[in-house]
Amino acid sequence: METTLIILKPDAVQRGLMGRIISRFEEKGLQIVGCKLMQIPMSLAETHYKDHKGKPFYPGLVGFMTSAPVLVMAVRGLGAIAIARKMMGATFGSKAEPGTIRGDFGVSNSFNLIHGSDSPEAAARELELFFQKGEVVEHKRAIDAWVYDMAKGSPE
Ligand code: IDP
Ligand code: MG
């Protein structure tokens, strides 16, 4: 089981798309184990996007991410990191495939609605940045027996 950090960016919150995007993850079978609305302080945006420092789009990116509230989520499931990235689609809304979140809901190359961790290492780092101890609540769901094949004792 993996947990990934998802951020519904300021454009998703302002455009009233939170519910529809959360529904996609729930419908897929992924589990929301952490969720909070917050306005990201500049220092946190800079730490989160530290690998992009120096790139031409960096100032705009951290400005955008701190400009209005975001919804931060911890999303759990078997292969959740790669599954969420696939559901998000390509970085630019103009290029993202229909059927993906970015492909269906946006056209912009910088207002692209959603962030998702891109590796297990990134997920661990980013979850720790955004969630304090106790804010991620792992819990059993009644539906899990129908989301996963448990015949061999572990989810498949
Ligand atoms: P990702 O979010 O799909 O992983 P990254 O390349 O890691 O994409 O870039 C992080 C974020 O920076 C993107 O989601 C987008 O908001 C922004 N970004 C990336 N490239 C550009 C660009 O060329 N112009 C404007 N914004 C960009
Ligand atoms: Mg990235």
Side-chain angles (χ1 to χ4, degrees), residues 9 49 52 57 61 64 85 88-92 102 109-110 112 114-116 118:
K9 295 184 178 184
Y49 281 122
H52 293 299
F57 61 82
L61 173 60
F64 165 51
R85 292 284 297 187
M88 287 162 52
T91 300
F92 297 147
R102 286 164 168 171
N109 290 346
S110 54
N112 63 356
I114 185 164
H115 166 82
D118 64 6

Side-chain angles (χ1 to χ4, degrees), residues 20-88:
R20 294 175 73 183
I21 296 173
I22 293 170
S23 286
R24 289 190 174 211
F25 290 114
E26 290 191 315
E27 287 164 358
K28 178 71 175 164
L30 297 176
Q31 184 185 20
I32 313 297
V33 292
C35 188
K36 63 178 173 185
L37 191 76
M38 66 183 285
Q39 184 133 7
I40 302 180
M42 182 54 79
S43 58
L44 179 56
E46 288 174 347
T47 307
H48 174 65
Y49 281 122
K50 68 178 171 54
D51 293 345
H52 293 299
K53 202 172 172 137
K55 294 183 185 169
F57 61 82
Y58 176 82
L61 173 60
V62 292
F64 165 51
M65 292 300 290
T66 56
S67 64
V70 300
L71 192 78
V72 186
M73 291 192 285
V75 176
R76 188 166 165 83
L78 198 62
I81 296 167
I83 290 171
R85 292 284 297 187
K86 237 182 175 169
M87 291 173 69
M88 287 162 52

Side-chain angles (χ1 to χ4, degrees), residues 113-147:
L113 299 158
I114 185 164
H115 166 82
S117 309
D118 64 6
S119 67
E121 297 71 33
R125 183 180 85 87
E126 294 171 357
L127 285 163
E128 199 170 307
L129 283 177
F130 284 91
F131 286 102
Q132 309 300 311
K133 245 194 156 46
E135 288 183 336
V136 173
V137 183
E138 285 177 16
H139 56 285
K140 283 205 183 358
R141 291 179 303 185
I143 62 161
D144 279 335
W146 295 103
V147 171

